[in-house]
């Protein structure tokens, strides 16, 4: 049984599948061989083989060399944790401060204005704030989330590919398995532990 994104293999739904085929050989593939909740993968997989890292894949031409900028650093000292990461509601409030949201938009315009990008937001409220600020600055932007219907999502993605939307702000949607070679900007407006 071959499992892609096998860092999810510790979840009960995967265990149910594996239990149905106890004599099988299990092979797991992932670019992120760790879990945020700290659960291991040793109950499912016996060994780990590192095939290639980010630098290896960049050197081989499979990934574009990344350049990084860090605008104003948010003050996160008082943000409580929930589970293995920041509490999303408290983090969303902290990251929605006008100077931080404005800084994201200004840096995009100064460094990558006119390039298509994906922005990762903390929660829906934070995503809406970012979307509004980008649009007010004249950067056509849409907000994609778990409540976006299938047809609307397909339209947003198509319009993004065509450049009608320069930025797609999303909360937990455009992550694993999403690939758009025309995207040249990634805005990580969602700090994590």
């Amino acid at each position: 049984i071959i499992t892609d994104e096998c860092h999810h293999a510790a979840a009960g739904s995967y265990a149910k599948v594996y239990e149905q085929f106890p004599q099988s050989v299990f092979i797991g593939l992932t670019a992120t061989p760790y879990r945020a909740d700290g659960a291991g993968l040793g109950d499912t997989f016996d060994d780990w083989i590192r095939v290639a890292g980010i630098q290896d894949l960049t050197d081989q031409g499979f990934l574009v060399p990344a350049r990084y900028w860090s605008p104003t650093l948010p003050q996160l000292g008082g943000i409580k944790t929930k589970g293995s990461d920041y509490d999303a509601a408290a983090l969303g409030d902290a990251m929605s401060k006008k100077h931080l949201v404005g800084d994201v938009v200004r840096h995009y315009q100064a460094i990558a204005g006119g390039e298509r990008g994906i922005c990762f937001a903390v929660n829906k409220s934070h995503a809406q704030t970012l979307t509004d600020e980008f649009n007010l600055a004249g950067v056509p932007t849409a907000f994609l989330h778990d409540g976006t219907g299938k047809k609307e999502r397909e339209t947003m993605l198509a319009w993004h590919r065509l450049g009608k939307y320069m930025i797609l702000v999303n909360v937990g949607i455009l992550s694993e398995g999403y690939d758009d070679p025309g995207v040249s900007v990634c805005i990580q407006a969602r700090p994590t532990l």
Side-chain angles (χ1 to χ4, degrees), residues 111-154:
I111 297 167
E115 297 292 325
R116 288 193 307 118
I118 296 174
C119 179
F120 296 89
V122 176
N123 56 24
K124 290 178 183 178
S125 175
H126 179 231
Q128 188 63 62
T129 301
L130 284 160
T131 301
D132 292 346
E133 192 71 20
F134 272 113
N135 282 310
L136 282 172
V139 179
T141 301
F143 165 29
L144 188 61
H145 56 87
D146 61 355
T148 306
K150 182 179 180 188
K151 190 164 186 69
E152 185 181 4
R153 183 183 299 197
E154 289 171 357

Side-chain angles (χ1 to χ4, degrees), residues 30 35 58 91 97 116-117 164 184 188 190:
T30 183
R35 290 180 51 93
T58 302
L91 182 62
K97 292 188 182 340
R116 288 193 307 118
K164 290 183 180 182
S184 60
Q188 181 63 6
R190 181 188 178 277

Side-chain angles (χ1 to χ4, degrees), residues 4-7 29-34 52 54 57:
D4 192 17
E5 305 296 354
C6 72
H7 51 280
L29 308 170
T30 183
T32 50
Y34 57 87
I54 291 172
L57 295 172

Side-chain angles (χ1 to χ4, degrees), residues 163-188:
K164 290 183 180 182
Y165 292 133
M166 295 310 295
I167 302 291
L168 280 181
V169 178
N170 83 107
V171 179
I173 299 295
L174 302 176
S175 54
E176 293 177 352
Y178 184 73
D179 184 25
D180 180 346
V183 169
S184 60
V185 177
C186 175
I187 301 169
Q188 181 63 6

